[in-house]
């Protein structure tokens, strides 16, 4: 019983009785200071040098437009079979209000679609990975991917943990390959009610040109139960791929070689829930004990990885070489892990860095806003530029991703704190898929 209470607490947002918003305390003194990245030549998402005029300055610092692509108050699924849909509705295999969109990845320029994940937070979700047509209706009618038959969302229907899809949460593409999608299947059912690990976690590689599974790598883990919520894949070394994923239940960073299948698990005080802050997220005072929920890296094999714990106002950075050299079980202590000195004004979560590692993007949930930081500048609040703020459409930013082809920063927002506590007002629009253009953006 104690374990069940603990696991539920690790994901559910615990509501506090109203009362004022507690400001985050000053971070503990740190022995290391972050050295900003060296300035790079203009390129990528950086703005070309403009003439020194008031008009040029206004152009460079103008606020980007927040464009809504999809929005709805209820997620539905497209089965292309009315009889099958009714059967699932009758037997409880499909309960529309059970699905909570978690992440979005664009596949627009190549195939005019978006990928959306709906992990098994509760029962009644027929699939955890789906597609939706980019230029179709504005609602969220999800088509199970690659097919409904691949998904097994109840314990009694699972016959092959390796081949069948159970509960996909994070998805990603690498910077260099738009034709490959990586998805992490947590293998956990009923995450917010009574979490149960029915299959080991695994990383699935999809060939988007054929919509076939190209590879499946099971993550070796000794944990009785794990919950992987983020995924990043680097095409390094050349000809291979390394996946970085975060286990929020066990507060660790997992590094998996997708060619050999070998995994190692790294630890740090920075990954734990100890460093957290009280936050008023999505209209409720939230105090969620949750580990790493944001991870992003530049496109250099010897570059940096940025990390963010879910309920912390502190960001961290780590050299990729330090991760490659680390041994399984190693504690990435202050001799390696670098805490960025500037404190955020509230809870954050997901983050994203541009391919060249020049600009870091992140939300501050309390502000209903997205900020950016130029990594060549000191990591201080006065250097965090407010890009977009929208109290209605950005109640809770679940994930953000960059499409390097279009120069768009994509985001999916929902009402997860209210969803986890059964206080969602379904009369209002709840879910948004949006983007802003970050071409030429200056931070």
């Amino acid at each position: 019983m104690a374990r069940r209470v603990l696991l539920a607490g690790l994901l559910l947002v615990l509501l506090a009785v109203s009362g004022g918003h507690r400001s985050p305390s000053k971070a503990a003194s740190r022995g290391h200071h972050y050295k900003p990245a060296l300035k790079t030549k203009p390129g990528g998402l950086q703005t070309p040098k403009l003439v020194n005029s008031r008009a040029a300055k206004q152009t460079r610092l103008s606020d980007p437009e927040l464009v809504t692509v999809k929005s709805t108050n209820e997620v539905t699924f497209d089965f292309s079979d009315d009889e099958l849909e009714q059967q699932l509705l009758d037997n409880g295999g499909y309960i529309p209000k059970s699905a909570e969109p978690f992440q979005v990845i664009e596949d627009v320029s190549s195939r005019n679609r978006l990928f959306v994940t709906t992990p098994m937070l509760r029962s009644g979700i027929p699939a955890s990975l789906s597609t939706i047509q980019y230029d179709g209706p504005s609602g969220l009618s999800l088509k199970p991917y690659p097919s409904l038959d691949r998904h097994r969302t109840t314990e009694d229907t699972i016959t092959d943990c390796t081949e069948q899809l159970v509960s996909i949460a994070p998805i990603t593409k690498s910077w260099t390959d738009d034709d490959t999608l990586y998805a992490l299947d947590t293998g956990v059912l009923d995450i917010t009610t009574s979490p149960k690990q029915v299959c080991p976690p695994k990383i699935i590689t999809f060939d988007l040109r054929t919509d076939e599974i190209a590879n499946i790598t099971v993550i070796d883990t000794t944990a009785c139960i794990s919950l992987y919520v983020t995924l990043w894949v680097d095409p390094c070394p050349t000809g291979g791929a390394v996946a970085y994923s975060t286990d929020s239940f066990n507060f660790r960073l997992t590094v998996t070689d997708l060619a050999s299948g070998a995994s190692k698990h790294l630890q740090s005080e920075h990954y734990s829930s100890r460093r957290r802050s009280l936050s008023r997220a999505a209209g409720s005072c939230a105090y969620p004990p949750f580990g790493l929920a944001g991870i992003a890296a530049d496109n250099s094999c010897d570059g940096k990885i940025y990390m963010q714990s879910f309920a912390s106002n502190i960001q961290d950075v780590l050299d990729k070489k330090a991760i490659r050299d680390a041994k399984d079980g190693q504690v990435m202590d202050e001799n390696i892990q670098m805490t960025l000195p500037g404190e955020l004004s509230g809870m954050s979560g997901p983050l994203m860095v541009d391919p060249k590692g020049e600009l870091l993007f992140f939300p501050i949930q309390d502000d209903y806003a997205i900020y950016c930081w130029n990594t060549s500048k000191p990591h201080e609040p006065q250097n965090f530029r407010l890009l977009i703020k929208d109290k209605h459409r950005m109640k809770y930013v679940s994930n953000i991703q960059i499409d390097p082809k279009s120069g768009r920063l994509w985001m999916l927002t929902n009402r997860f704190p209210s969803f986890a506590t059964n206080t969602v007002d379904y009369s209002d629009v709840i879910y948004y898929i949006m983007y802003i253009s970050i071409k030429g953006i200056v931070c």
Side-chain angles (χ1 to χ4, degrees):
M1 176 64 72
R3 175 177 294 176
R4 177 172 295 182
V5 172
L6 173 63
L7 294 177
L10 283 168
L11 188 63
L12 285 175
V13 177
L14 307 180
L15 295 184
V17 179
S18 195
H21 176 211
R22 185 186 306 170
S23 299
S25 61
K26 291 292 183 182
S29 61
R30 308 175 186 92
H32 293 264
H33 296 284
Y34 175 68
K35 183 179 180 181
L38 295 176
K39 292 184 178 181
T40 58
K41 296 179 180 179
L45 301 176
Q46 283 283 69
T47 301
K49 187 175 181 179
L50 300 178
V51 295
N52 186 18
S53 68
R54 179 178 300 178
K57 184 176 181 180
Q58 290 176 344
T59 299
R60 292 172 66 181
L61 296 179
S62 60
D63 293 334
E65 179 187 2
L66 182 62
V67 179
T68 297
V69 176
K70 305 291 179 183
S71 62
T72 187
N73 64 344
E74 185 174 275
V75 177
T76 59
F77 284 83
D78 176 13
F79 303 104
S80 301
D81 185 331
D82 293 342
E83 185 176 341
L84 173 61
E85 179 176 350
Q86 189 59 53
Q87 178 183 341
L88 291 170
L89 287 168
D90 291 342
N91 64 23
Y94 176 31
I95 305 173
K97 286 185 172 60
S98 288
E100 177 82 351
F102 180 67
Q103 288 199 359
V104 62
I105 286 285
E106 66 75 36
D107 194 34
V108 175
S109 58
S110 299
R111 285 158 285 269
N112 194 43
R113 62 186 176 182
L114 301 166
F115 285 93
V116 178
T117 66
T118 49
M120 299 297 112
L121 301 182
R122 299 172 180 167
S123 60
I125 305 171
S128 56
L129 177 63
S130 303
T131 59
I132 186 170
Q133 188 177 357
Y134 169 69
D135 57 4
S138 62
L140 282 180
S141 182
L142 306 178
K143 190 173 185 61
Y145 183 87
S147 67
L148 179 63
D149 186 59
R150 272 281 186 178
H151 294 262
R152 294 292 187 273
T153 60
T154 59
E155 188 173 4
D156 61 321
T157 60
I158 298 171
T159 59
D160 188 337
C161 278
T162 300
E163 295 292 329
Q164 293 167 340
L165 308 179
V166 178
S167 181
I168 291 173
I171 50 177
T172 191
K173 292 181 179 180
S174 73
W175 286 125
T176 59
D177 186 0
D178 191 50
D179 293 323
T180 302
L181 178 74
Y182 300 93
L184 203 157
D185 188 341
T186 68
V188 181
L189 297 178
D190 301 324
I191 296 171
T192 62
T193 54
S194 180
K196 186 174 183 180
Q197 186 101 45
V198 296
C199 287
K202 59 182 179 285
I203 298 171
I204 305 103
T205 305
F206 292 97
D207 185 337
L208 300 184
R209 296 165 298 185
T210 62
D211 291 330
E212 297 288 340
I213 293 178
N215 184 56
I216 296 177
T217 304
V218 176
I219 297 177
D220 294 327
T221 177
T222 58
C224 295
I225 186 169
S226 59
L227 184 64
Y228 285 89
V229 296
T230 61
L231 176 65
W232 188 268
V233 175
D234 261 350
C236 300
T238 303
V242 174
Y244 304 91
S245 54
T246 60
D247 179 359
S248 285
F249 273 4
N250 297 288
F251 312 121
R252 61 188 183 179
L253 173 67
T254 297
V255 184
T256 304
D257 186 322
L258 296 182
S260 68
S263 292
K264 59 184 177 183
H265 308 282
L266 310 179
Q267 301 178 11
S268 169
E269 65 171 345
H270 303 267
Y271 309 156
S272 73
S273 61
R274 184 161 57 86
R275 295 168 52 199
R276 58 193 182 184
S277 59
L278 186 68
S279 170
R280 190 178 299 277
S284 302
C285 280
Y287 197 14
F290 208 42
L292 285 173
I295 183 170
D298 56 37
N299 63 5
S300 170
C301 292
D302 293 317
K304 298 181 183 299
I305 290 182
Y306 293 87
M307 290 167 283
Q308 173 76 56
S309 290
F310 180 76
S312 172
N313 64 336
I314 305 297
Q315 294 174 333
D316 303 294
V317 63
L318 188 61
D319 289 331
K320 293 181 185 178
K321 184 179 185 303
I323 296 178
R324 288 199 302 270
D325 294 344
K327 305 298 183 183
D328 184 34
Q330 183 171 330
V331 176
M332 312 298 283
D333 57 22
E334 289 289 348
N335 293 325
I336 300 176
Q337 186 87 20
M338 289 189 291
T339 297
L340 295 172
E343 294 185 5
L344 309 186
S345 61
M347 186 177 77
S348 182
L351 50 73
M352 193 67 195
V353 68
D354 79 307
K356 291 183 177 294
E358 297 169 347
L359 305 177
L360 184 72
F361 302 87
F362 55 91
I364 295 182
Q365 306 287 9
D366 296 354
D367 295 348
Y368 312 103
I370 299 287
Y371 291 78
C372 71
W373 167 58
N374 186 324
T375 59
S376 68
K377 298 178 180 179
H379 188 270
E380 298 172 354
Q382 61 265 32
N383 292 324
F384 302 159
R385 180 191 168 187
L386 172 63
L387 287 180
I388 197 76
K389 181 182 179 73
D390 193 306
K391 188 173 182 179
H392 182 70
R393 289 183 289 174
M394 297 175 62
K395 288 290 187 182
Y396 184 83
V397 180
S398 184
N399 95 298
I400 54 177
Q401 294 285 343
I402 289 176
D403 171 23
K405 285 187 176 181
S406 64
R408 292 175 176 178
L409 179 74
W410 286 86
M411 67 193 76
L412 186 153
T413 67
N414 56 34
R415 305 281 177 90
F416 178 72
S418 298
F419 175 86
T421 53
N422 297 310
T423 57
V424 177
D425 178 6
Y426 287 99
S427 65
D428 193 11
V429 176
I430 302 169
Y431 310 111
Y432 290 91
I433 295 177
M434 304 175 290
Y435 69 82
I436 59 174
S437 174
I438 53 174
K439 282 185 176 179
I441 204 78
V442 174
C443 300

